[in-house]
Amino acid sequence: MRNKLIAGNWKMHGSRVANEAWVRALQAEPILESVELAVLVPAPYLAQMQQLLGGSTCVWGGQDVSDQERGAFTGEVAASMLREFGCRYTVVGHSERRQRHGETDVQVAAKAQQALAQDLIPILCLGESLEQREAGKTAQVMRHQLGVLLDILGEGGMARSVLAYEPLWAIGTGRSATPAQVQEVHAWLRQQCAETSPGLAENIQILYGGSVKSSNAVELMTLPDVDGALVGGASLVAQEFLAIARAAAKASQRTE
Ligand code: PGA
């Protein structure tokens, strides 16, 4: 059975004081056995997370990684550096980076390769824009995004990664995809993975991201092909993040 993962993507939010309060609030709550918690923070806060979360059940990670191992790449962060600060995960190919920084599918795959080489788990983000959805191109866009990842990372690399379906029109808009839309795409992604390997399809975790909050978490987390969430805005409030995690725990118990 696939475990659930609830990963908070803080994006460019946080401060040393606010981060510490967030961690303390998390640590005051009972441990959720059946759900893994992760927090993906801006790179300057990784050392603080390592210090505060070390030894706890919530792991941490980065929001991006360089597609290069080392060298003259001003402003970039190498996978080995994330590793050195105890990261377990890194987001790769978030739509905000694809859009604002022009990251291509091939570059996204190269970033994932760097992460994998350092034993980090890349959270590979995929998703269509509203325009693409309305033009009936969701499957075409996703087939391309996933196809490049499958080609470059291969079954072995994909088996050590997590997928995150994040429709662009649902990110930060307060308008989540409906449970039916989410399940349809997740099942389709799993089916595409099955064409490479049934074992991969069975085991790969597919997260949903896009306006996940405590009020819609229960219905989203109980969908058969949803293995957790990548949570942006709602993850900034520790109690919201915890409520989403509890919804995921409840959903896993139901399917056990
Ligand atoms: P959101 O962001 O939860 O604020 O919509 C999700 C994401 O971008 O990962």
Side-chain angles (χ1 to χ4, degrees):
M1 214 197 73
R2 298 179 299 269
N3 289 329
K4 293 237 186 312
L5 166 65
I6 302 297
N9 172 14
W10 283 359
K11 309 192 178 186
M12 202 171 72
H13 292 284
S15 69
R16 288 186 68 86
V17 172
N19 304 349
E20 180 158 355
W22 189 96
V23 171
R24 298 289 173 232
L26 199 78
Q27 286 169 337
E29 292 292 315
I31 291 169
L32 294 166
E33 300 286 349
S34 50
V35 176
E36 186 179 20
L37 301 184
V39 61
L40 310 159
V41 303
Y45 297 135
L46 289 171
Q48 188 191 17
M49 288 300 123
Q50 186 174 34
Q51 190 206 340
L52 293 175
L53 288 170
S56 89
T57 52
C58 180
V59 298
W60 60 97
Q63 299 176 357
D64 180 37
V65 66
S66 178
D67 60 358
Q68 303 293 320
E69 196 179 334
R70 71 175 71 79
F73 304 105
T74 303
E76 296 195 23
V77 174
S80 59
M81 297 169 188
L82 295 180
R83 184 80 216 161
E84 213 177 346
F85 285 94
C87 291
R88 178 167 168 82
Y89 291 98
T90 183
V91 179
V92 171
H94 192 280
S95 60
E96 286 152 15
R97 296 209 55 88
R98 289 180 189 255
Q99 287 185 312
R100 287 181 53 85
H101 302 272
E103 290 182 11
T104 64
D105 292 320
V106 170
Q107 225 175 345
V108 169
K111 287 177 176 230
Q113 282 180 309
Q114 288 295 331
L116 289 166
Q118 292 293 329
D119 280 331
L120 296 168
I121 301 171
I123 300 177
L124 308 167
C125 299
L126 314 163
E128 83 288 3
S129 66
L130 185 58
E131 209 179 22
Q132 290 163 333
R133 174 164 281 265
E134 285 176 346
K137 290 188 177 156
T138 302
Q140 187 185 327
V141 171
M142 307 277 289
R143 187 175 289 114
H144 187 261
Q145 291 180 346
L146 184 64
V148 172
L149 291 168
L150 281 165
D151 278 356
I152 297 179
L153 303 183
E155 184 186 341
M158 289 296 287
R160 292 161 57 217
S161 304
V162 170
L163 280 178
Y165 170 54
E166 296 212 312
L168 273 61
W169 45 274
I171 297 178
T173 57
R175 174 186 168 194
S176 163
T178 65
Q181 288 170 323
V182 174
Q183 174 55 27
E184 184 186 19
V185 175
H186 280 230
W188 184 87
L189 284 168
R190 208 175 289 290
Q191 180 53 39
Q192 294 293 305
C193 289
E195 288 175 16
T196 296
S197 148
L200 173 66
E202 182 58 31
N203 293 318
I204 194 163
Q205 285 173 305
I206 310 181
L207 312 184
Y208 167 72
S211 299
V212 176
K213 40 195 177 239
S214 58
S215 57
N216 59 17
V218 175
E219 55 179 1
L220 290 167
M221 293 306 113
T222 35
L223 296 169
D225 285 298
V226 172
D227 307 311
L230 185 54
V231 187
S235 74
L236 296 171
V237 180
Q239 290 308 331
E240 261 293 292
F241 183 68
L242 283 162
I244 295 166
R246 280 193 289 268
K250 215 194 263 173
S252 334
Q253 279 154 12
R254 267 194 232 167
T255 51
E256 260 169 24

